[in-house]
Amino acid sequence: MSNTLSKAKQYIEEDNLKEALKLARKQHGKDDVESYLSILDLLIEKDYLPALEEKGLYYQYYDETHDNDDYGEKYFDSYLEKQPKSINVLCDKAMSKFNKGNIDESLEYMDNALEKYETYSNIEKPRLSKKEIIMARIELLIKAKRYEEGLKSLSDYENQFGSSQKTDLYKGQLLQKTDKNEEALTYLNKSLQEEETIIALNAKGDALYKLNRYREALKTYEQCIPYENKITDDLELKTNFNYKAAFCCVNLGEDQKAVQYLNKTINMLNEYGRLPKDIEKIYQKCSFEKDRLLRNDDVEDKEFKKTKFLSTKYAIIALAIILILYVILKMKGY
């Protein structure tokens, strides 16, 4: 038994469960996942509810397989059996449902958390304020692409709490997604004056693109490029501003520049193997457009030309050399 586990057991025997949980978290910080989970299991055996949530959160956010795509839900269920009014764990379970694609159930749990907020258990204090839970619910609606519902919820939020840089961003994004592009630009520009974000830039580019203001849209999409390396888990976003930059160039008659963006998008998507259906359609659209543009004699695939090919003459010479070497090696008994 490791010294860490021995120390954890001692804390537990002394009923110092908070210190044992702190020790577990330290081990997690040191990437000692085995000790971390072992200590949590010891605490769970003692019916220490914070350890139960902690283990659920581990599988929600840190485990690569998310416990075979359970996202910690079974641990949150166990917690809620003992403490059904837990605002924190109702929100945790909402995220598990969302990650499993059960959007309606996810929103139900968020609503449940809001309903119980005024009478939450004295055993625990919610980590999130009521205001933050309402905003988290709006963010779920945006992720679920339920834009009309999100816009209504956001208006209700502003009536209660007022506006901010975040509400301007989300309102601009939601207005753009519901084809209210001129109005969307007002809020997106306001948000960008306070903080430049790739979400706002991408949405602004989309609004300008829909309004056929391709030169402005291209400039805005190009402002997204410096942020590209920071996008680790949103292929849809990364694909959007790259391929639409290409089609801005097409609409502006800048075919050579369009091919550069099309190549970039195609090469990027080739790295991902099998693609979601909507992104696969974009991939096909880019491939077809590239082929169409290259039929124009004035357009070159400069990336393709970088690849050097042997002329027929040198290819024959190289083949002859290979055959001679093969014969020599055979004669020597290889």
Side-chain angles (χ1 to χ4, degrees):
M1 183 185 297
S2 70
N3 290 335
T4 303
L5 273 179
S6 297
K7 192 172 183 180
K9 282 191 171 184
Q10 185 180 342
Y11 281 138
I12 292 168
E13 285 171 8
E14 294 169 354
D15 207 29
N16 197 349
L17 305 184
K18 283 186 179 179
E19 284 302 317
L21 183 57
K22 282 183 186 177
L23 182 60
R25 287 171 175 162
K26 282 181 185 176
Q27 296 311 115
H28 189 205
K30 294 177 182 177
D31 290 327
D32 183 1
V33 174
E34 186 178 349
S35 295
Y36 169 67
L37 294 176
S38 296
I39 297 169
L40 291 183
D41 287 337
L42 290 172
L43 287 165
I44 290 168
E45 285 175 18
K46 295 287 286 184
D47 288 328
Y48 188 53
L49 289 180
L52 202 55
E53 185 191 13
E54 180 83 17
K55 194 165 185 183
L57 291 172
Y58 170 75
Y59 288 116
Q60 179 92 270
Y61 297 108
Y62 300 103
D63 179 56
E64 287 184 5
T65 71
H66 302 288
D67 197 16
N68 295 317
D69 293 330
D70 185 63
Y71 289 91
E73 187 172 3
K74 65 187 175 191
Y75 297 101
F76 302 141
D77 283 340
S78 296
Y79 192 113
L80 290 170
E81 283 175 14
K82 298 170 184 178
Q83 193 56 253
K85 290 186 177 181
S86 170
I87 307 301
N88 296 329
V89 180
L90 284 168
C91 292
D92 294 336
K93 176 138 182 172
M95 285 309 301
S96 294
K97 290 293 185 186
F98 181 84
N99 286 321
K100 292 179 178 183
N102 302 325
I103 309 302
D104 288 332
E105 289 182 64
S106 173
L107 291 168
E108 283 175 18
Y109 276 97
M110 294 296 282
D111 290 339
N112 196 355
L114 286 168
E115 286 172 16
K116 289 182 167 52
Y117 203 90
E118 303 304 329
T119 57
Y120 66 80
S121 168
N122 290 327
I123 293 174
E124 63 169 48
K125 184 178 179 181
R127 286 190 296 272
L128 299 176
S129 67
K130 191 173 183 180
K131 177 181 174 181
E132 288 170 322
I133 293 174
I134 295 171
M135 179 55 74
R137 188 183 185 281
I138 292 166
E139 289 167 348
L140 283 182
L141 288 168
I142 294 172
K143 287 179 182 177
K145 301 184 178 180
R146 289 165 60 164
Y147 303 125
E148 292 285 1
E149 193 178 342
L151 199 53
K152 183 180 181 305
S153 296
L154 186 58
S155 293
D156 292 341
Y157 176 94
E158 286 181 311
N159 289 336
Q160 279 186 265
F161 306 109
S163 62
S164 64
Q165 185 272 333
K166 183 182 277 190
T167 60
D168 288 337
L169 168 61
Y170 289 160
K171 195 159 192 176
Q173 191 181 4
L174 288 163
L175 286 165
Q176 193 285 310
K177 292 294 186 183
T178 50
D179 252 353
K180 301 176 182 73
N181 293 295
E182 286 286 5
E183 193 178 351
L185 287 172
T186 301
Y187 286 96
L188 291 168
N189 285 330
K190 191 176 173 185
S191 171
L192 285 164
Q193 282 175 0
E194 293 188 47
E195 183 184 0
E196 186 173 283
T197 64
I198 191 167
I199 299 298
L201 287 169
N202 181 70
K204 181 181 176 180
D206 285 351
L208 292 165
Y209 188 90
K210 282 289 190 76
L211 293 166
N212 301 327
R213 290 159 61 176
Y214 299 117
R215 179 64 65 193
E216 294 171 79
L218 177 59
K219 183 180 177 182
T220 306
Y221 288 134
E222 287 176 338
Q223 287 178 271
C224 294
I225 305 298
Y227 297 94
E228 193 168 13
N229 291 334
K230 296 178 182 178
I231 304 171
T232 57
D233 58 354
D234 196 339
L235 181 58
E236 184 179 356
L237 173 62
K238 193 186 294 189
T239 302
N240 184 74
F241 60 77
N242 276 298
Y243 102 87
K244 282 185 181 165
F247 281 91
C248 283
C249 293
V250 170
N251 283 291
L252 291 166
E254 298 176 5
D255 292 351
Q256 188 62 63
K257 190 173 181 180
V259 169
Q260 292 173 5
Y261 273 113
L262 289 168
N263 273 333
K264 182 184 175 188
T265 306
I266 291 166
N267 291 340
M268 177 183 73
L269 294 179
N270 276 334
E271 295 176 6
Y272 285 86
R274 189 168 182 177
L275 298 167
K277 283 185 181 179
D278 54 343
I279 296 181
E280 177 65 36
K281 285 180 184 177
I282 293 171
Y283 179 87
Q284 296 296 338
K285 183 178 179 179
C286 290
S287 299
F288 291 144
E289 187 63 20
K290 178 183 169 183
D291 289 343
R292 186 187 74 78
L293 292 174
L294 290 177
R295 286 196 288 271
N296 182 340
D297 291 338
D298 295 331
V299 179
E300 296 179 346
D301 188 350
K302 292 183 179 180
E303 181 174 301
F304 181 77
K305 287 182 72 176
K306 287 178 187 175
T307 306
K308 303 295 182 183
F309 296 96
L310 292 173
S311 67
T312 304
K313 174 184 173 183
Y314 287 113
I316 292 170
I317 293 170
L319 182 60
I321 291 170
I322 291 168
L323 287 172
I324 291 167
L325 287 171
Y326 176 77
V327 170
I328 292 170
L329 288 170
K330 276 288 185 184
M331 290 174 64
K332 290 186 176 251
Y334 287 98

